[in-house]
Amino acid sequence: MHTMNIKLLLITGTLLLAACSAESQPSKPMPTTTNPYYSRTDTTPLTLANSEWKKVLPADVYTIAREQGTERAFTGKYWDFEGLGTYYCAACGNQLFRSDSKFGSGCGWPSFYEPVRKTAVRYIDDNTHGMVRTEVRCGRCDGHLGHVFDDGPPPTGLRFCMNSIVLEFEPDSK
Ligand SMILES: [Zn+2]
């Protein structure tokens, strides 16, 4: 009986230790291993059919990136987030924005005044929903990211209004 209790204690102790060490680890970037097209270094444009994207993207990312969806305002993980680092495309890993260009627009979506480089994104005229807007897509995978408006702050006067779901934030290493 006595030995049983000690064994039990040991097991519980080990489990606690394991739980602690898992928690103390810095959060790693989470490129999905099921998405073979994801790369933070390869900038070769991807031209995949939506049927292929559907197999490799999480459902919420697919809805925004491939079906021009929009997350509800003030619900995404980055609209009021102020971490220092880089934002990547959640669908393909393309580098999109730096935190330096992020600003509090109050619109409920993460907003930036410029992409990290000109070719990081591409622009499409969007006349849907009775509005004349400019859609912003990822320069690598052509996935929908959001829209750009001309009411942003200096130096560009632009407001890239993005969906958190298709962004992936990586903090700067200290
Ligand atoms: Zn992309």
Side-chain angles (χ1 to χ4, degrees):
M1 207 46 189
H2 187 67
T3 20
M4 269 294 270
N5 279 340
I6 288 176
K7 255 189 196 163
L8 203 64
L9 269 174
L10 278 174
I11 292 170
T12 321
T14 318
L15 283 177
L16 276 174
L17 273 176
C20 286
S21 59
E23 203 142 320
S24 62
Q25 267 173 19
S27 63
K28 288 250 173 67
M30 39 121 317
T32 51
T33 46
T34 50
N35 180 351
Y37 309 106
Y38 188 100
S39 172
R40 288 191 174 173
T41 48
D42 188 353
T43 52
T44 315
L46 294 164
T47 47
L48 297 173
N50 277 356
S51 54
E52 185 61 20
W53 282 118
K54 195 147 205 169
K55 287 183 212 157
V56 299
L57 294 181
D60 57 347
V61 176
Y62 181 86
T63 302
I64 308 261
R66 308 311 309 182
E67 296 181 331
Q68 279 72 30
T70 302
E71 71 195 15
R72 279 193 298 129
F74 305 103
T75 62
K77 55 189 166 179
Y78 299 134
W79 70 272
D80 68 344
F81 176 77
E82 292 181 354
L84 297 182
T86 304
Y87 292 83
Y88 295 85
C89 173
C92 77
N94 187 29
Q95 197 175 337
L96 297 172
F97 299 100
R98 283 281 310 158
S99 56
D100 320 56
S101 69
K102 193 171 188 296
F103 65 98
S105 66
C107 70
W109 292 277
S111 302
F112 305 84
Y113 62 71
E114 68 181 0
V116 74
R117 57 183 196 286
K118 279 212 163 69
T119 53
V121 297
R122 54 189 294 259
Y123 305 96
I124 311 276
D125 287 336
D126 177 5
N127 300 320
T128 61
H129 303 290
M131 292 177 271
V132 180
R133 296 181 296 175
T134 303
E135 182 192 352
V136 179
R137 291 194 191 172
C138 171
R140 179 171 183 245
C141 74
D142 203 35
H144 174 77
L145 300 171
H147 289 87
V148 62
F149 303 94
D150 58 7
D151 57 4
T156 63
L158 297 174
R159 172 170 59 98
F160 288 80
C161 184
M162 303 287 100
N163 288 282
S164 302
I165 288 171
V166 286
L167 297 179
E168 209 171 58
F169 176 76
E170 175 73 26
D172 288 342
S173 47
K174 298 200 175 108

